[in-house]
Amino acid sequence: MPKLNDVNTTDIRDAIRLGCRTMGNVFNADDNDMPFFGAHVRPHPPALAWSEFHAESHIPGRHLNALLAAESVAGVEIDEQAVEKHTRAAFLTYSGPAPLPLNRQTMDGAPIRLISHNVREGFHALHALVRYRDCNRAKELAEGSIDTILQRWDPDDGWDGDHLDKTCGLKIWGAIDNTYRDGNILIGLGRSVGPLVKYYRTTGYGPSLELALRLKDKMLQDCFWEDGGYDGDRFGHHAHSITSSMSSLAQLVDLLKDSALLERVKTFYDNGLWHFRDEVGWASEHAEGGDRPEMGEMNTTGDIVETALILGSWGYTQYYEDAERILRCHILPSQLRDISFSEAGENPGDEDRLRDVPNRLRGAFGFPAPYGHTPLGVDGICFNLDVVGGTVGSLCAAYQSITWFDEVGHRINLLFDHETDAIKVDSPYTHENLCIRLKRSGPFMVRMPSWVNSEALEVTGTDQSPVFNNGYAFFSKPPVNRPIEIRFPLSEREITLKHSTRDIRVRLRGDAVAAMEDFEVELTFFDSL
């Protein structure tokens, strides 16, 4: 059985770079370079696909949000033509009779189909263009869209369907497709709070925060109750809608410094979220498991990481450990890097949807099991293109959180290799020891994982002994431009992932997988346990 554990990376920036490459290869030359939505490498032949529900109204937002963040926060060189094509697609989706993200019903048709599920992605596209490209057209569309939603949507009654249909000629469909109705706030507009918060941070446009607050109140009333529990009747079964709403609320917490809302988010993270996630961060595509219970969805996992990073920044250090374990054990290993198992099929009609698909998808993220690309009970292998953008966006958030410098000094939250103009960190996972070299004078604190025996740390490069506080080792007067080594073993331990259909044994080395039970399936990420 072919294994892919030899191509895994622990380099977040490299994973971002490769994901950006994928996002530059998603345009359909047979559709005026509009983006594809679906993607699979099995069954044969590998193919890309347009979606009448989520192509131009969905993909540009995910990809512009990720591409432009990658350029800004990680210094990754991106394809400017890809930015231009996604921008053109985003403006197409807003070219209908109202400033809302609409999808075409046919490739040769006009944008006319309104699906509330896509409003989040629409705002992601417009915010990214405003923040990173200072685009006035995007600003006008974003603020017109916010104003329209405030006028034509009510928390209790939903959309003013008569006006949108009779006056604007829009067709309002279910939140995801014609089987999901807009009655569920999370599947519909609720998940758009995140980009609304980003837009408010960037522009200070008051109605964007007003809409975010109205949506927050509706989500707390209907779904995120004080007990933190999950109920499928309240939340629906689309796991990514649940986690993107959770991470949206966490972003609102961070903006408003709202401790009551923080407690509501934290309580759900600690309780209801475990209904469809496990210890390595795998999260089910379907919150109830459905007929493919071991099929995950990587941008759902990315939302969990983004929420954990915010909780960690509020002083709950254990969530940084959760984020690092998820990144090392699931997100980074699952990226499609080795494409040798898949070959492009015959293409007698020279269709772009069949052209060089495995190579175009190298760098993608999709719907894996904890152990590999091929979940038991699933015939195909999908790497839908919205998932690529969502996951890369989450990796950008993780990259920003590895280290920072503030009034406290240097802070190291995640133990990845990292270098800035202020600090260089050599990870204990890729080097003999954790090694820190300061380029800028100041105290530093470094997070020590819970499995490290702080009393047994060996420190060289400074005569100081650290002071321990809230999971961090603090050094008050470290030297500049001299390496400080902190030695501790990456302890091995075994855990069991409790899934609905089976237990999965895992051996961890530190917060990374050393081996995992894989049930003799192919295309696995790790050595077999």
Side-chain angles (χ1 to χ4, degrees):
M1 298 289 181
K3 292 183 179 292
L4 302 178
N5 55 300
D6 59 331
V7 299
N8 289 342
T9 184
T10 59
D11 186 332
I12 293 178
R13 186 176 182 277
D14 187 54
I16 292 171
R17 178 195 61 77
L18 194 57
C20 288
R21 174 194 180 276
T22 307
M23 289 186 282
N25 290 322
V26 302
F27 305 103
N28 185 358
D30 300 327
D31 183 27
N32 197 28
D33 279 338
M34 289 293 108
F36 289 108
F37 176 82
H40 71 262
V41 294
R42 288 185 179 174
H44 196 75
L48 304 170
W50 174 73
S51 168
E52 61 183 295
F53 303 107
H54 308 298
E56 56 271 10
S57 60
H58 204 84
I59 296 299
R62 293 281 186 93
H63 287 200
L64 287 170
N65 179 63
L67 284 166
L68 296 178
E71 179 184 56
S72 176
V73 308
V76 170
E77 184 177 350
I78 60 174
D79 181 354
E80 195 60 37
Q81 286 191 342
V83 174
E84 292 173 3
K85 290 175 182 178
H86 279 307
T87 300
R88 187 161 52 83
F91 288 157
L92 172 67
T93 198
Y94 278 95
S95 67
L100 295 166
L102 310 176
N103 217 78
R104 296 169 294 168
Q105 292 182 260
T106 60
M107 276 193 186
D108 58 355
I112 196 171
R113 174 175 283 160
L114 173 61
I115 301 175
S116 295
H117 188 76
N118 296 326
V119 170
R120 172 181 182 261
E121 280 61 36
F123 283 140
H124 265 316
L126 299 177
H127 165 260
L129 291 170
V130 171
R131 177 176 179 182
Y132 299 111
R133 292 294 187 267
D134 194 25
C135 178
N136 287 329
R137 184 178 178 189
K139 187 173 187 293
E140 291 173 2
L141 287 170
E143 295 175 8
S145 185
I146 291 165
D147 294 346
T148 296
I149 295 171
L150 285 170
Q151 293 169 13
R152 300 301 174 187
W153 176 84
D154 180 82
D156 296 320
D157 299 328
W159 289 103
D160 182 352
D162 286 344
H163 173 85
L164 292 175
D165 184 12
K166 294 177 182 177
T167 304
C168 300
L170 301 184
K171 297 182 181 296
I172 302 176
W173 278 58
I176 295 181
D177 57 32
N178 60 338
T179 65
Y180 288 79
R181 305 314 304 169
D182 272 351
N184 185 310
I185 185 65
L186 305 188
I187 294 173
L189 288 177
R191 56 203 294 279
S192 67
V193 165
L196 286 168
V197 168
K198 291 179 181 178
Y199 192 81
Y200 183 74
R201 282 188 183 276
T202 297
T203 66
Y205 185 63
S208 61
L209 181 55
E210 178 186 352
L211 180 55
L213 291 172
R214 291 183 183 277
L215 292 169
K216 177 265 296 184
D217 289 343
K218 179 67 171 174
M219 288 193 284
L220 297 191
Q221 172 187 304
D222 289 2
C223 304
F224 291 98
W225 292 358
E226 289 183 358
D227 63 6
Y230 164 82
D231 184 309
D233 290 337
R234 298 201 319 265
F235 283 84
H237 301 151
H238 185 235
H240 181 244
S241 290
I242 300 170
T243 57
S244 58
S245 297
M246 174 187 69
S247 67
S248 285
L249 292 175
Q251 292 172 64
L252 188 60
V253 165
D254 213 37
L255 172 69
L256 299 178
K257 311 305 179 191
D258 185 335
S259 59
L261 183 57
L262 171 71
E263 188 60 30
R264 196 73 69 96
V265 172
K266 182 175 176 294
T267 302
F268 179 77
Y269 190 105
D270 293 341
N271 294 280
L273 182 61
W274 286 93
H275 184 82
F276 52 89
R277 69 156 288 191
D278 68 14
E279 288 82 354
V280 299
W282 171 93
S284 176
E285 183 209 16
H286 190 291
E288 298 289 353
D291 58 356
R292 299 174 294 184
E294 291 185 22
M295 184 171 174
E297 182 170 351
M298 195 49 62
N299 56 3
T300 302
T301 296
D303 287 325
I304 297 172
V305 167
E306 291 191 49
T307 306
L309 295 172
I310 292 173
L311 293 173
S313 74
W314 275 68
Y316 296 100
T317 312
Q318 67 271 26
Y319 296 95
Y320 278 133
E321 185 166 329
D322 196 26
E324 178 153 342
R325 187 173 59 254
I326 293 169
L327 288 160
R328 292 190 181 279
C329 293
H330 196 48
I331 294 184
L332 294 173
S334 78
Q335 187 173 35
L336 180 64
R337 289 175 166 258
D338 184 345
I339 58 171
S340 61
F341 66 91
S342 180
E343 296 182 359
E346 294 183 2
N347 189 6
D350 195 28
E351 299 176 79
D352 196 47
R353 69 182 187 89
L354 299 175
R355 189 176 297 132
D356 197 25
V357 173
N359 181 54
R360 291 165 78 174
L361 290 179
R362 192 169 67 84
F365 294 92
F367 301 87
Y371 41 79
H373 287 311
T374 54
L376 285 164
V378 178
D379 294 331
I381 304 177
C382 297
F383 294 93
N384 282 6
L385 301 171
D386 61 329
V387 178
V388 182
T391 309
V392 171
S394 298
L395 288 173
C396 289
Y399 187 83
Q400 285 184 288
S401 297
I402 297 174
T403 69
W404 67 61
F405 186 86
D406 59 16
E407 64 271 15
V408 176
H410 302 272
R411 191 188 303 257
I412 304 161
N413 302 308
L414 305 173
L415 304 184
F416 287 89
D417 289 328
H418 196 58
E419 185 169 9
T420 70
D421 59 0
I423 194 170
K424 184 176 189 296
V425 179
D426 292 335
S427 169
Y429 292 88
T430 53
H431 297 79
E432 187 174 348
N433 299 298
L434 173 63
C435 183
I436 298 159
R437 181 171 64 85
L438 302 185
K439 304 178 185 180
R440 183 186 303 173
S441 178
F444 83 85
M445 58 173 58
V446 55
R447 182 181 61 83
M448 291 288 104
S450 62
W451 38 265
V452 170
N453 180 0
S454 59
E455 296 180 357
L457 288 181
E458 297 181 23
V459 180
T460 60
T462 178
D463 295 333
Q464 278 191 297
S465 297
V467 175
F468 294 95
N469 180 67
N470 192 28
Y472 286 83
F474 176 73
F475 295 81
S476 62
K477 295 179 67 176
V480 177
N481 291 320
R482 193 169 79 198
I484 298 172
E485 289 197 359
I486 304 175
R487 299 185 182 90
F488 54 85
L490 299 177
S491 62
E492 290 202 0
R493 62 202 186 278
E494 289 198 7
I495 62 173
T496 300
L497 310 181
K498 297 287 187 180
H499 282 228
S500 61
T501 54
R502 73 192 77 251
D503 290 349
I504 304 172
R505 294 181 300 118
V506 183
R507 181 182 302 125
L508 294 177
R509 178 177 173 266
D511 281 313
V513 173
M516 183 180 292
E517 194 171 12
D518 60 21
F519 313 101
E520 298 186 346
V521 301
E522 61 178 346
L523 306 178
T524 55
F525 305 141
F526 313 108
D527 290 333
S528 181
L529 183 61

